[in-house]
Amino acid sequence: QVQLIESGGGLVQAGGSLKLSCAASGRTFSSYAMGWFRQAPGKEREFVAAISGSSISTYYADSVKGRFTISRDNAKNTVYLQINSLKPEDTAVYYCAADANVAGIWSGTSSRAMYWGQGTQVTVSS
């Protein structure tokens, strides 16, 4: 069982930056691929980024490439999402997820991630 707790969300002006964190419980964090998703009001949850257990591989949704950076610190059992040049359309609840492999986080069309956090709200004002 893995518990995920996101933090770092808040209200920020367009053009600003935020760094989201997701702290995971357990002693096998490095064995899990991790990902970030977001869900805006009235919209479906969408994939944002994923990272392999060793950080060798990272993946991003086309809509966030160049502005979002996913990283992890296995010694701290934490995955991060650095968000730069925030736009109002980035407003959403951001969730982190864990799975045994990256394909489970995001197959290209769907997620079957085993564990999910409760989410952290990001609101971008124009």
Side-chain angles (χ1 to χ4, degrees), residues 82-115:
Q82 177 69 44
I83 310 175
N84 297 327
S85 303
L86 277 156
K87 305 175 181 180
E89 51 264 43
D90 294 321
T91 295
V93 178
Y94 284 71
Y95 299 91
C96 70
D99 195 80
N101 53 65
V102 173
I105 294 294
W106 185 245
S107 68
T109 57
S110 64
S111 176
R112 53 173 173 81
M114 291 187 290
Y115 305 105

Side-chain angles (χ1 to χ4, degrees), residues 10-88:
L11 174 63
V12 64
Q13 288 189 330
S17 298
L18 277 177
K19 187 172 186 177
L20 307 183
S21 299
C22 173
S25 64
R27 293 175 289 181
T28 58
F29 179 70
S30 62
S31 68
Y32 288 94
M34 301 296 295
W36 286 95
F37 293 75
R38 66 185 181 184
Q39 187 166 18
K43 295 188 176 181
E44 293 186 353
R45 183 181 64 196
E46 66 171 335
F47 168 73
V48 172
I51 187 168
S52 61
S54 61
S55 301
I56 289 177
S57 302
T58 57
Y59 307 87
Y60 297 92
D62 288 342
S63 60
V64 306
K65 282 180 181 177
R67 295 193 301 122
F68 288 28
T69 303
I70 189 170
S71 63
R72 65 191 295 161
D73 184 337
N74 287 341
K76 296 182 178 180
N77 280 18
T78 302
V79 62
Y80 305 97
L81 186 69
Q82 177 69 44
I83 310 175
N84 297 327
S85 303
L86 277 156
K87 305 175 181 180

